[in-house]
């Protein structure tokens, strides 16, 4: 009986040692807090934020949509993507207007070659374009900031690319939202559109929108603006801007009239 008791005690001790070893192994192999076990490494996580507020008429909204679709599937952008260490980025496309309107038109997608770029551009081109009356840049930035955690990707950079043709007139001040995003490690670049046309209600467009975006909207390491002189030049401007931010090329803070510098 005594021998049997000693055997049972030894066996129980052996079982505890095995369970302890399994727990240690699991702990060592588990992802760190805040990381997803299946997160795909990418060079860049990019949110494209596009203004569809009331100051953007139907023709201008279509020019914006085509500009992004053409730029994203262009050889220059694909080459910029493939120049990174991973050779791929994660991108999502969001249209925004007032503080209650943010529409994720195309969800997070990997773009790494011409085929995946064309597929993203195709989904973008096919989606309907919405609109709302007011303009809330702060709410748009907050919405974009919340899209990064848990998106399934781990990028060496996180960037919000926002375009717009007017001041914020609803919701949280843009600078507050910008500061919160920068504190989370996100860079915000901007493409202000200087539009000489009156808005659909006859109001005059802002004259110093480039300065406004520079002071109130952009932020983070390497943040910059690139100015589109009007909607007709938007396509070339966004192409230049995407190449610069995807390839992390150095750029001056104010890049007015530099859209034609790239092929």
């Amino acid at each position: 009986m005594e021998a049997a008791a000693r055997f049972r005690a030894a066996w129980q001790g052996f079982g505890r040692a095995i369970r302890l070893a399994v727990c240690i192994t699991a702990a060592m192999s588990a992802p760190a807090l805040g990381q997803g076990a299946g997160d795909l490494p990418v060079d860049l996580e990019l949110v494209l934020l596009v203004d569809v507020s009331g100051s953007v008429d139907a023709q201008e909204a279509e020019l914006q949509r085509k500009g992004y679709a053409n730029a994203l599937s262009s050889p220059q952008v694909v080459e910029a993507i493939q120049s990174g260490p991973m050779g791929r980025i994660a991108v999502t496309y969001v249209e925004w207007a007032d503080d209650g309107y943010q529409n994720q038109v195309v969800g997070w997608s990997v773009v790494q070659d011409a085929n995946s770029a064309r597929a993203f551009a195709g989904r973008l081109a096919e989606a309907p374009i919405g609109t709302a009356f007011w303009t809330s840049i702060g709410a748009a930035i907050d919405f974009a900031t919340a899209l990064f955690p848990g998106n399934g990707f781990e990028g060496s950079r996180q960037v919000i690319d926002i375009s717009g043709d007017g001041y914020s007139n609803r919701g949280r001040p843009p600078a507050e939202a910008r500061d919160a995003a920068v504190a989370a490690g996100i860079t915000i670049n901007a493409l202000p559109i200087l539009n000489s046309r009156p808005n659909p209600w006859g109001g005059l467009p802002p004259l110093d929108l480039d300065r406004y975006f520079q002071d109130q909207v952009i932020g983070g390491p390497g943040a910059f603006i690139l100015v589109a002189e009007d909607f007709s030049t938007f396509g070339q401007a966004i192409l230049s801007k995407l190449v610069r931010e995807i390839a992390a090329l150095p750029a001056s803070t104010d890049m007015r009239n530099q859209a034609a510098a790239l092929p």
Side-chain angles (χ1 to χ4, degrees):
M1 295 290 294
E2 184 178 348
R6 287 198 299 270
F7 176 79
R8 284 195 300 273
W11 180 255
Q12 290 170 353
F14 177 73
R16 286 193 296 271
I18 291 294
R19 289 192 295 273
L20 179 60
V22 170
C23 290
I24 292 173
T25 301
M28 293 177 64
S29 61
L33 184 64
Q35 292 181 333
D39 285 355
L40 178 69
V42 293
D43 294 311
L44 171 67
E45 300 168 56
L46 177 63
V47 178
L48 300 173
L49 276 180
V50 183
D51 183 2
V52 291
S53 61
S55 59
V56 179
D57 64 27
Q59 180 184 0
E60 292 164 346
E62 184 65 24
L63 285 171
Q64 284 188 115
R65 180 69 71 83
K66 287 182 178 179
Y68 275 102
N70 291 339
L72 284 164
S73 57
S74 69
Q76 296 97 317
V77 167
V78 172
E79 183 179 355
I81 292 169
Q82 294 179 334
S83 70
M86 299 292 176
R88 58 178 176 254
I89 67 169
V91 59
T92 182
Y93 186 98
V94 177
E95 290 177 340
W96 61 274
D98 61 33
D99 49 356
Y101 188 90
Q102 301 90 31
N103 178 31
Q104 192 174 12
V105 179
V106 181
W108 284 107
S109 307
V110 174
V111 178
Q112 59 188 357
D113 54 24
N115 288 337
S116 55
R118 284 194 295 267
F120 188 97
R123 294 196 299 274
L124 179 58
E126 293 170 359
I129 301 175
T131 189
F133 191 75
W134 302 104
T135 302
S136 181
I137 296 173
I141 293 173
D142 285 337
F143 182 86
T145 300
L147 292 178
F148 290 104
N151 66 358
F153 300 99
E154 184 179 354
S156 56
R157 293 181 294 127
Q158 294 180 326
V159 173
I160 294 171
D161 177 328
I162 183 168
S163 61
D165 76 334
Y167 306 137
S168 189
N169 52 34
R170 282 293 184 277
R172 188 182 190 188
E176 288 185 9
R178 182 265 319 277
D179 292 346
V182 171
I186 299 166
T187 293
I188 303 175
N189 300 324
L191 196 156
I193 306 165
L194 307 185
N195 186 12
S196 59
R197 296 169 57 184
N199 64 37
W201 302 278
L204 295 177
L207 300 177
D208 61 345
L209 191 64
D210 51 346
R211 180 61 58 182
Y212 177 82
F213 270 74
Q214 181 174 312
D215 294 343
Q216 302 294 321
V217 178
I218 69 170
F224 67 90
I225 67 170
L226 190 153
V227 176
E229 297 295 340
D230 53 37
F231 280 95
S232 67
T233 64
F234 181 86
Q236 183 60 48
I238 194 59
L239 172 60
S240 299
K241 187 167 185 290
L242 284 174
V243 169
R244 290 185 184 278
E245 64 195 353
I246 290 170
L249 298 175
S252 60
T253 303
D254 184 354
M255 296 170 58
R256 182 194 299 267
N257 295 327
Q258 293 189 29
L262 294 177

